[in-house]
Amino acid sequence: MTTGKGKKSDPITWLEKYGDTLYRFARARVRDSFTAEDLVQETLLAAYRSRKNFSGRSTLKTWLIGILRHKIVDYYRKQKHEQVEENPDDFVYGSDDMFDAREKWKVKPGAWGKDPENEYERKELMTMIHACLDEMPNKMSQAITLRELQGVSTNELCELFQTGKNNCWVILYRARMLLRRCLEINWFQGQK
Amino acid sequence: MRHWIFSCKKISLLISESMDWKLPLYRRLGIKLHLMMCYLCRRYKKQLLFIHSILQSEKTIEEIDSASLSPEAREKIKKRLEQEKQ
């Protein structure tokens, strides 16, 4: 280790400086604190092992987050193989029974009233969204987490789920339907 | 009432899809026409976009989740990194 670079390539310093940032980033995406901790560790290890590749063109923080992003994608990829197929119909708010035989709305979308205005309400709404995601079948909540929170492209999402585009859109559609309905019931209806 | 050729069910799928890729022109027009006549689908669209916007803002997540690594986890990772350095 050279003197000037010494501190810069010390993973303990990275942990101290960026540990929490990485942890939060991971937790918002995998929704489980133990997994998030593991991901932080794996990221720092991988970063340390490939520290020569850090060009200095990006900041250290963005470089680390870039590595973490890959780790998260890997995590989902691995999970896919371990996952037991769930039946989305087990979930209370299925999307098919939202329409009648003539494909018109049977369960009509309600008026949601005002958007949350202040910080407090937004926080509460976010908590509710997470509660809804927890209740949804794994695949659906993963689809939402990856696509909407992680900003993963649809292409990449299909790759992770190892499925064709059409199916991918249907998964996202059903997931959005479920989340929308869950919020309507648990958040907006109680608000009035 | 007939809503051109797309049903509400079909429109609800197309609206979701339009958030993931650029739909061909005739579909976009189909949605537009349908929305002009159907307040329920208009509502649905507005709600999906609202959820999208709430989830999209990275800020929301970071503000909300002010969690930090627990001292134990931090210690554990630190040990592992020390090991790696040797």
Side-chain angles (χ1 to χ4, degrees):
Chain A
M1 241 190 267
T2 51
T3 26
K5 266 187 145 186
K7 261 224 133 106
K8 253 193 155 172
S9 56
D10 182 6
I12 311 284
T13 318
W14 302 342
L15 172 65
E16 277 157 15
K17 259 184 114 171
Y18 304 113
D20 286 339
T21 311
L22 294 173
Y23 175 68
R24 256 170 247 151
F25 187 92
R27 227 190 74 149
R29 286 156 179 84
V30 297
R31 307 159 37 68
D32 167 64
S33 38
F34 291 115
T35 310
E37 285 167 7
D38 285 347
L39 286 168
V40 172
Q41 177 169 310
E42 279 178 44
T43 299
L44 290 173
L45 277 176
Y48 181 67
R49 284 173 194 151
S50 61
R51 59 193 179 280
K52 285 199 195 85
N53 298 340
F54 176 59
S55 61
R57 254 185 306 171
S58 55
T59 65
L60 195 53
K61 184 175 154 190
T62 46
W63 181 62
L64 290 172
I65 285 189
I67 297 175
L68 176 56
R69 267 182 191 277
H70 283 291
K71 295 283 169 199
I72 292 170
V73 170
D74 283 346
Y75 161 77
Y76 276 103
R77 196 167 286 148
K78 263 185 236 151
Q79 241 210 351
K80 144 110 192 160
H81 300 292
E82 292 163 8
Q83 221 177 87
V84 195
E85 270 305 309
E86 289 161 293
N87 183 2
D89 297 329
D90 292 344
F91 193 67
V92 232
Y93 327 109
S95 56
D96 289 332
D97 47 9
M98 297 290 287
F99 299 93
D100 63 20
R102 288 164 59 226
E103 305 203 337
K104 284 167 171 287
W105 290 100
K106 191 165 77 184
V107 185
K108 295 180 176 153
W112 277 13
K114 273 189 277 172
D115 295 351
E117 283 160 355
N118 52 49
E119 208 61 5
Y120 177 73
E121 273 182 18
R122 242 167 39 129
K123 237 178 186 167
E124 294 277 284
L125 176 58
M126 227 22 218
T127 312
M128 185 53 81
I129 289 179
H130 279 289
C132 286
L133 289 173
D134 282 339
E135 265 187 61
M136 281 160 62
N138 246 334
K139 200 169 210 172
M140 308 281 154
S141 61
Q142 283 179 358
I144 296 272
T145 307
L146 288 166
R147 180 81 186 104
E148 309 271 21
L149 284 177
Q150 167 96 302
V152 161
S153 71
T154 321
N155 281 345
E156 204 182 327
L157 186 80
C158 302
E159 226 183 276
L160 284 180
F161 284 170
Q162 296 177 5
T163 180
K165 278 218 169 106
N166 278 317
N167 193 28
C168 219
W169 289 322
V170 172
I171 293 171
L172 276 166
Y173 164 61
R174 299 199 65 171
R176 288 180 179 128
M177 274 300 234
L178 292 177
L179 180 56
R180 194 201 72 79
R181 186 67 187 137
C182 180
L183 286 179
E184 182 160 274
I185 290 172
N186 295 298
W187 176 261
F188 289 98
Q189 278 177 3
Q191 234 191 0
K192 274 172 260 170
Chain B
M1 193 168 61
R2 284 196 52 188
H3 290 156
W4 202 44
I5 47 167
F6 293 133
S7 66
C8 291
K9 189 175 179 179
K10 177 78 179 165
I11 287 291
S12 70
L13 171 63
L14 287 178
I15 286 173
S16 170
E17 274 189 32
S18 73
M19 295 165 77
D20 301 312
W21 68 295
K22 192 167 169 134
L23 298 175
L25 184 64
Y26 77 99
R27 296 233 149 138
R28 276 181 279 148
L29 284 176
I31 296 179
K32 236 182 184 158
L33 270 172
H34 182 104
L35 288 183
M36 269 161 40
M37 296 179 287
C38 178
Y39 78 101
L40 289 175
C41 286
R42 277 204 297 275
R43 237 181 220 174
Y44 163 86
K45 183 186 176 188
K46 205 177 141 202
Q47 293 166 354
L48 278 205
L49 290 178
F50 168 70
I51 295 172
H52 178 74
S53 73
I54 283 266
L55 289 174
Q56 278 287 299
S57 69
E58 198 108 342
K59 244 177 132 190
T60 315
I61 309 159
E62 286 183 15
E63 278 165 16
I64 298 321
D65 196 352
S66 51
S68 49
L69 276 170
S70 67
E72 299 84 51
R74 195 176 278 273
E75 202 46 44
K76 198 188 120 219
I77 297 173
K78 199 172 163 184
K79 274 207 186 110
R80 183 68 189 81
L81 291 174
E82 300 274 12
Q83 237 176 53
E84 185 70 21
K85 274 169 73 181
Q86 277 151 27

